[in-house]
Amino acid sequence: MAVAHVPCNHTLLHSLTIMKMRGASLVAKFLLTMFIARFLDLKALGVYGLVVGVSAIIPVVMGFGIINNFARTAVTQSLESVADTVIVYMRCFTFLYCILGLPTIVGVALTDHTALFFALSIVLITFLEHANNDIFVLLNSLSRPIVANLSLFIRSGLWIYIYMPLALVFPALRDINILLFFWVGGGIVALAFFAYVTRTWPWRKRSFQSSSKTWLKKQLYQAKFLYLNDIANTASQFLDRYIISVFLGLELTGVYVLYWSIGNALGNLVRTGTITLYRPSLISAFTKDLALYWCTFRKCVKQTLLISVALSFAAYWALSFLLPHLKQPLAERYFSVYPIILAGFVGRMLYEVLGVSFYSQNKDIKTLVTGLYVLVASAVLPMLLIPSWDLMGAAWAVLLTVGIGSVVRYVYLKKGGR
């Protein structure tokens, strides 16, 4: 019986190789943000940012934390068992999206048919992001980071490289609805790619001994703390843009999304190029050799911070050069917000890499408790600071939030007997 996990040694060179692959997606998202700001407008960028938030929050809410729990156990499972579990899981969450998504689309069609395409696009994007995010997590847990990152590039980079040249040649394509259409296409192609690369998996071997209902109940119970933490973690990253839109309007939301998107793209690069690569090794080492475990964890922390700081300096220099070419005076006026957001990105990476220790030790309750601190801070601080300091207040709220979270996680880590 084949074993799904293939152990591998994660060196700095290996991480940099993966990060080069992610670099293509990073550049694509960076260019798309610039493109929307330059050739559409800041309001369109604000709408795009809100859609990004929806497509990140809803999959977390509707995923119930199952994929993180399943990915952790998949490290030591047979490939037959993994394939069987994927089938059951995909059926469950597809059914859930149909139950909730179809009434939403019908409701929009009956109340405002002009928004039907927009609503349909959001539902499809959210579903596809959910499926492809879970695929990415699973493939990394199975020590297939190259395939995982190729899939990620298809859904988050390739369609952008196709859309932008076409939109430059054909101005009629410079519309938020058309942009979302291309986004949907990227998600569909990424799913097809996963089906192709796993065509040799034992999909037709039914080794599942229990019913789907029994399996689902077990997963929901085991993943309850991870699930609540995922909601807290995701909401804490996206909640502020909705608060900004309420207090300051869509145009300033667009300015914030412009700067935030760069920090977020850098964060995705560091997660997939460094943090995610260490997770299987840490899980394995924790059960075998604690000395090796803490040595590996310290390497992960150092590598994460080193790369994060280096990327921040590079991103600051790049945007300071490019910003005048966007011809957006409002964005230039608020450029002082950008370095604070980049500092928040570095703080977020520290917060997340500290959380990997809890995840690898199955201490999900600690992950949840520390995540709740961040969730509360991400809701309270923007509402306190934005009315007085507008976007600068939003930026400081980000930095203070991840600072609080990092301190709390470090304290919990020390108390755990590190």
Side-chain angles (χ1 to χ4, degrees):
M1 195 163 54
V3 177
H5 174 59
V6 180
C8 59
N9 296 320
H10 302 307
T11 64
L12 180 60
L13 181 61
H14 189 192
S15 296
L16 291 175
T17 301
I18 300 299
M19 290 181 69
K20 287 179 182 178
M21 297 177 59
R22 278 306 315 270
S25 297
L26 169 65
V27 171
K29 289 186 176 182
F30 178 81
L31 292 177
L32 181 62
T33 302
M34 301 297 109
F35 184 89
I36 297 172
R38 175 65 179 84
F39 293 103
L40 278 72
D41 53 43
L42 290 175
K43 287 186 179 179
L45 186 57
V47 172
Y48 170 75
L50 296 179
V51 174
V52 170
V54 169
S55 68
I57 295 172
I58 291 181
V60 171
V61 174
M62 296 179 66
F64 299 101
I66 291 175
I67 188 61
N68 284 325
N69 183 65
F70 168 49
R72 183 166 55 191
T73 59
V75 171
T76 56
Q77 287 182 351
S78 68
L79 193 56
E80 289 84 355
S81 179
V82 170
D84 208 15
T85 305
V86 169
I87 291 174
V88 174
Y89 174 64
M90 293 289 280
R91 284 175 178 172
C92 290
F93 97 80
T94 300
F95 175 75
L96 185 59
Y97 269 91
C98 289
I99 291 296
L100 299 178
L102 290 177
T104 301
I105 295 172
V106 172
V108 171
L110 294 176
T111 56
D112 184 6
H113 68 278
T114 60
L116 179 59
F117 183 84
F118 185 75
L120 178 61
S121 297
I122 292 176
V123 171
L124 288 174
I125 285 170
T126 303
F127 171 80
L128 291 167
E129 286 295 300
H130 188 154
N132 286 307
N133 275 330
D134 289 356
I135 286 169
F136 178 79
V137 172
L138 177 62
L139 288 174
N140 272 297
S141 290
L142 300 181
S143 294
R144 299 193 66 182
I146 303 295
V147 176
N149 280 276
L150 280 173
S151 175
L152 185 62
F153 168 71
I154 291 171
R155 71 176 169 94
S156 63
L158 182 60
W159 70 267
I160 297 174
Y161 288 119
I162 295 173
Y163 167 74
M164 288 192 299
L166 289 174
L168 284 173
V169 176
F170 304 104
L173 297 179
R174 300 172 192 174
D175 179 84
I176 190 66
N177 287 312
I178 302 299
L179 185 150
L180 297 180
F181 174 79
F182 276 82
W183 189 350
V184 170
I188 293 173
V189 174
L191 275 185
F193 173 74
F194 174 71
Y196 174 77
V197 297
T198 61
R199 64 193 183 281
T200 59
W201 283 22
W203 295 112
R204 296 183 180 181
K205 280 190 176 182
R206 303 299 297 170
S207 59
F208 228 79
Q209 300 299 318
S210 58
S211 68
S212 299
K213 187 176 180 180
T214 302
W215 174 85
L216 185 59
K217 285 183 177 180
K218 180 181 178 181
Q219 291 294 317
L220 290 174
Y221 176 77
Q222 292 177 345
K224 57 183 181 296
F225 294 130
L226 285 174
Y227 173 54
L228 294 173
N229 175 70
D230 284 346
I231 293 177
N233 187 48
T234 305
S236 68
Q237 294 183 71
F238 293 95
L239 191 59
D240 54 358
R241 67 187 58 194
Y242 298 99
I243 299 174
I244 292 170
S245 66
V246 171
F247 282 103
L248 305 177
L250 275 177
E251 197 167 23
L252 283 180
T253 302
V255 174
Y256 177 78
V257 169
L258 171 66
Y259 296 135
W260 179 93
S261 295
I262 297 170
N264 184 60
L266 296 176
N268 288 334
L269 179 63
V270 175
R271 286 185 197 98
T272 55
T274 303
I275 298 175
T276 302
L277 294 179
Y278 273 94
R279 286 169 67 170
S281 297
L282 287 168
I283 293 170
S284 298
F286 182 70
T287 60
K288 299 174 183 177
D289 187 341
L290 283 180
L292 174 63
Y293 173 82
W294 289 116
C295 179
T296 304
F297 176 70
R298 284 191 292 271
K299 287 181 181 178
C300 182
V301 173
K302 291 176 182 177
Q303 188 173 319
T304 297
L305 290 179
L306 177 64
I307 293 173
S308 298
V309 172
L311 287 174
S312 294
F313 279 105
Y316 180 84
W317 175 85
L319 189 61
S320 63
F321 172 76
L322 291 173
L323 190 58
H325 299 285
L326 296 182
K327 298 180 180 179
Q328 291 290 352
L330 190 62
E332 292 186 63
R333 184 172 133 200
Y334 282 96
F335 186 71
S336 58
V337 168
Y338 183 50
I340 302 173
I341 290 178
L342 288 177
F345 144 68
V346 176
R348 168 63 66 172
M349 293 302 97
L350 175 61
Y351 169 77
E352 292 190 10
V353 77
L354 289 173
V356 170
S357 65
F358 302 144
Y359 177 82
S360 57
Q361 297 175 44
N362 287 286
K363 295 180 179 179
D364 298 337
I365 186 63
K366 289 187 176 181
T367 307
L368 171 60
V369 171
T370 55
L372 291 177
Y373 278 93
V374 170
L375 178 60
V376 172
S378 68
V380 173
L381 290 176
M383 288 191 287
L384 291 177
L385 299 179
I386 289 174
S388 299
W389 295 350
D390 55 55
L391 283 190
M392 186 62 73
W396 276 109
V398 170
L399 184 56
L400 291 172
T401 295
V402 295
I404 291 170
S406 297
V407 169
V408 171
R409 282 195 166 173
Y410 181 75
V411 169
Y412 270 77
L413 187 61
K414 294 293 285 186
K415 286 182 177 179
R418 178 187 171 191

